[in-house]
Amino acid sequence: MKLTVLSTSDTHGYLYPTDFRKRNQSLNFGLTKVVSEIRAIEDKKEGNILKIDNGDFLQGSPLSFYLAKNPDEGSMADIMNEVGYDCGVLGNHEFNYGIEFLERTINRLNYPIVCANILKENGDYLTGTPYVVFEREGVKIAVLGLTTPYIPHWEQPQTVKGLVFKSAVETAKEFVPKLRDLADIVIVSYHGGFEKDLETGEPTEVLTGENEGYDLLHEVSGIDVLLTGHQHRYIASNDGPAPTTQPGDKGKFLARVDVDYKKSTQTIDKTHAELIEITDQIENQELKEKFLPLLEKVETWLDQKLGTVSGDMTIKDPMEVRMHSHPYIEFIQAVQKEATGVDVSGTALFDDYAKGFKETISMRDIVTNYIYPNTLAVLSITGSELKAALERSASYFEYNEEDGVHVSLDFLEPKVAHFNYDIYSGIDYTIDVKQPKGSRITELSYHGKPLLNDQKIEVVMNQYRAVGGGDYDMFGAEKIVKEVTVDMTELISTYLQKNPVIEAIQPTNFTLKQ
C-alpha cells in the first residue's frame, strides 16, 4: 500500500500569493498555488493521499486579520475547508484572537483538529479530538496531534485561563504505544520545532519546552512519520529515526512524505521525505475565483487613507533602525504611550520587510509594518529588571574589528527572531557592543537621573513580551498592572484619526557604542 502524506504548516492566512504591499502580485507562496500542486499530485493517482495542516492558519495576514475583525464576511475555516484537508493541528497563533473565536472556527471546519496535549480543566481535550485514525486499503493510519505547550508564555492570561498545557514528548509517550496497537502507521503532526541540532543532538536554543522535536524523534519509539512547524524552517530529513518535515511558512513549500507499507509483513518497507517548492505554479482557479470578492474587500480596506507624515518615516536599512532607532519606531512608541498613559515604552522592528510610512499612510501601510495582532500591557518592574531586559536585547548584536556590528546567530537560527530585539523610548541608555554580553548597558537613566536598581518604573510593551515571550524571563504576567485589550492595528488607526498629521522625529535617547 502506497501512502503519500502532504502537509502544510504556518500558512498564516496567506490564501493568495501576495504580501499585500501592493495589488496584483504573484509571489512564490500561498494556498492557491499550494492547492494547485496538491491537485496535480492527486491527479497522478499513484497511491493513497492524506492531507494534513500542521497549524498556524488562523492569524498572520491582512486577509485573516480582516476576517477576524469582520466575521460576517466569512472565516478562515471556509478557506481551509476548500483545500480538502483530512485533519489539522492547533498552532500557537490559533489562540491570538481568543478562545471563543478559536472554538467558533474549529466548529466551522469540515475536518477534525487533533490535539492531545492541550486540555480543559475538567480533563476534556480542547479540540475534542486527540488523534484520528484513517483507513486506506485496509491499512489503518493514526495521526496524533501535538502543539507547543509554551503558549501561556505568549498569550494573555485570560485567553489560556482554565487550560492545561502538557509536554509534547510526555504526551507522545502516553499515546504512541496505544496508537501502535490501534493502527499500522503512526504519524505525529506536531506544531513545534527542533530544540537540538538534528545531526549532533546539541541544543540550539534554551531548552524551555517550546520546541521538543528532537526529543520526540529520539525519546519516543514507534513514530513512523514526524511532521513539524512553528519555526518556519525548511526541513526534509530522511536520516533520523523517522522521516521528518518542516515546510517553512505562508505555503512556500508543500511537505511530502511517501510511505510504502507491505501488508503481507505488516511493516513499512521504505519512506521518503521531501519539500516541494512553490514557485511558478499556476494558482488553482477554482479556489482563486471563489474568494476573489473577499480579496477585493480586503484590498479596498487596505487602501483606506488614514493620515500623512511630515518628514521622512521610510525605512531604508533595518539594521540602521535597530542600531539607532527610527521615526517609525518612535511613532509606535507614541501610540503605546498614549494608549496606556505611561512614559516609557518598548517595541521592535518585527522583520526586515517593514518599509515604514511614506507621506500618505493607509491601512495597508499599518498592517504590513505592524504585522502582529498584539495588545498592550503595562508592567511595574524595577530598574534592575529593566536593565536585564536591555541586556537581553543588546545580545542581538555581535561585534568584531573586521566586520563591525552584525546580528547574532542566536537571533537568526534556528528561527529568524528580529522581533526579539527591543528598542525603548522614555529612558536614556547606551549599548556598548565591545563589552561582553550581559554587561553592555553602560548608561541607563530616567528623567535625567540614573535609574536605580530597586527603583520602580512602569513600562508599556506588547503582550507577547510582557508575559516573558522571547526569553525575557525578567518579565511575567504577575508584573502586569494594566492591559489594553484593543489590537495595536486599531490603536494605530485611532491615533491617526486624532493626529492626522504626524511628525517624523528621530529619537536620540539610545546610543550604540562601538
Side-chain angles (χ1 to χ4, degrees), residues 7 36 81 100 146 149 165 195 250:
S7 63
S36 182
N81 286 340
E100 291 182 6
L146 299 170
F165 295 82
E195 74 283 25
K250 299 186 180 72

Side-chain angles (χ1 to χ4, degrees), residues 27 29 86 146 149 225 227 241 260 322 340 370 396 420 437 440 474 499:
L27 303 177
F29 58 75
D86 293 290
L146 299 170
V225 176
L227 312 176
D260 284 355
R322 297 183 181 108
T340 57
Y370 201 101
Y396 177 83
N420 282 333
K437 292 180 181 181
R440 288 180 165 180
M474 68 294 300
N499 307 276

Side-chain angles (χ1 to χ4, degrees), residues 10 42 92 243-244 310 317 320 367 383 388 390 397 478 496 505:
D10 300 88
E42 290 175 324
N92 55 294
T244 301
S310 174
D317 184 344
E320 282 295 312
V367 300
L390 291 168
F397 299 107
E478 72 281 359
L496 287 171
I505 301 171

